[in-house]
Amino acid sequence: MHICIVPARGGSSRVKNKNLRKVGDKSLVERAVLTAIRSKIFDKVIVSTDSPIIQDHINKSMGEAICPFLRESAYADDYSTSSAATLHCLEKSEEVFGCSFNLVSQLLPTNPLRTPENLVSVSEFYAENEFDSVVTCAPFVGINPWWSFELATDNRKRDVFADLPSERSQDLSSLYSPSGVMWISSAENIKERQSFLAGDVGYFPIEARYSFDVDTEEDLCLVRALAKGFAL
């Protein structure tokens, strides 16, 4: 049994009501749920939220089985991790539905351009290897991270990488960042380690065009433009 959990907290400090904002004709949380369902690899898809507004939004559009309970406030503040929220939802789902799950996956709604095929690929990679968890990652796009610097108060730069291996971009290795497209683990591992990021973690690269993350209003404008080529 494989459960997919979509953590969708009500509060957002940078983008108000972020998980309810629309990309195309669907909200961010709806897009995550629909993509999970269309991948056909999950036995259960659940939205974990502390917000009655998000719960009502999902249950009206997709049915009450998708968001049958609210997340406890202890797992919904600015300091709670997504892994902790997912673990809470996993254990609550086993209690509510009277069953045990072998696998648990987490899809962050802030990655609205993922595809069902992405999820299938990650699931197959996890099954073919022996990692405790698999976390998706994405390459940087547009700006070379090797050339990063901080801007001092006098408008002079402080290099993040003081000694570049090369000044030519084609000679620099690729750098990646974790993405919320899909994190997967056994339920046993999550219960024991309480995090997808503990133990022997494998990283699965997803093309940047599927991995764009919505953290700001500018990000939202970008993914809305890109989403015109990603029909749901």
Side-chain angles (χ1 to χ4, degrees):
M1 293 282 286
H2 190 172
I3 185 171
C4 174
I5 295 170
V6 179
R9 192 164 63 94
S12 176
S13 57
R14 287 176 288 184
V15 180
K16 188 176 181 180
N17 297 321
K18 177 168 62 176
N19 290 315
L20 292 174
R21 301 288 290 275
K22 287 190 174 182
V23 172
D25 63 347
K26 304 294 183 186
S27 66
L28 293 183
V29 65
E30 284 178 303
R31 291 181 73 94
V33 171
L34 284 171
T35 305
I37 291 172
R38 290 173 183 175
S39 73
K40 299 181 179 180
I41 61 173
F42 304 111
D43 298 287
K44 185 75 71 175
V45 179
I46 298 291
V47 170
S48 167
T49 185
D50 62 311
S51 168
I53 296 173
I54 292 178
Q55 183 184 44
D56 186 60
H57 167 69
I58 285 297
N59 289 345
K60 281 182 176 178
S61 64
M62 298 183 173
E64 294 183 4
I66 300 294
C67 192
F69 51 83
L70 287 172
R71 186 193 309 177
E72 294 176 16
S73 58
Y75 302 99
D77 59 29
D78 288 336
Y79 304 100
S80 298
T81 65
S82 61
S83 291
T86 292
L87 174 58
H88 166 263
C89 185
L90 167 65
E91 293 177 334
K92 185 70 174 178
S93 295
E94 290 183 328
E95 176 187 332
V96 168
F97 297 112
C99 65
S100 295
F101 294 98
N102 308 104
L103 296 175
V104 55
S105 288
Q106 171 184 278
L107 274 60
L108 298 186
T110 48
N111 296 89
L113 301 184
R114 65 168 68 81
T115 68
E117 292 75 21
N118 293 150
L119 306 185
V120 171
S121 295
V122 178
S123 179
E124 290 176 345
F125 178 78
Y126 174 80
E128 292 166 359
N129 291 276
E130 296 183 356
F131 295 113
D132 294 320
S133 298
V134 167
V135 171
T136 54
C137 61
F140 290 88
V141 172
I143 299 174
N144 194 321
W146 281 108
W147 296 335
S148 300
F149 61 84
E150 297 174 309
L151 196 61
T153 55
D154 62 359
N155 279 65
R156 290 185 172 84
K157 70 170 184 172
R158 289 195 295 264
D159 289 321
V160 174
F161 300 105
D163 298 313
L164 284 178
S166 171
E167 293 185 358
R168 301 196 320 156
S169 60
Q170 60 265 44
D171 296 331
L172 300 173
S173 61
S174 297
L175 296 182
Y176 294 83
S177 175
S179 81
V181 171
M182 180 176 176
W183 297 11
I184 181 173
S185 182
S186 69
E188 180 182 10
N189 179 64
I190 290 299
K191 290 175 181 178
E192 177 184 349
R193 293 191 165 93
Q194 301 189 8
S195 175
F196 287 93
L197 300 176
D200 185 19
V201 182
Y203 286 83
F204 186 87
I206 299 284
E207 292 175 67
R209 57 181 170 154
Y210 303 120
S211 302
F212 283 104
D213 185 75
V214 176
D215 277 329
T216 66
E217 291 286 350
E218 289 77 11
D219 295 334
L220 189 58
C221 289
L222 175 61
V223 297
R224 281 173 170 168
L226 293 171
K228 293 177 181 178
F230 290 80
L232 267 181

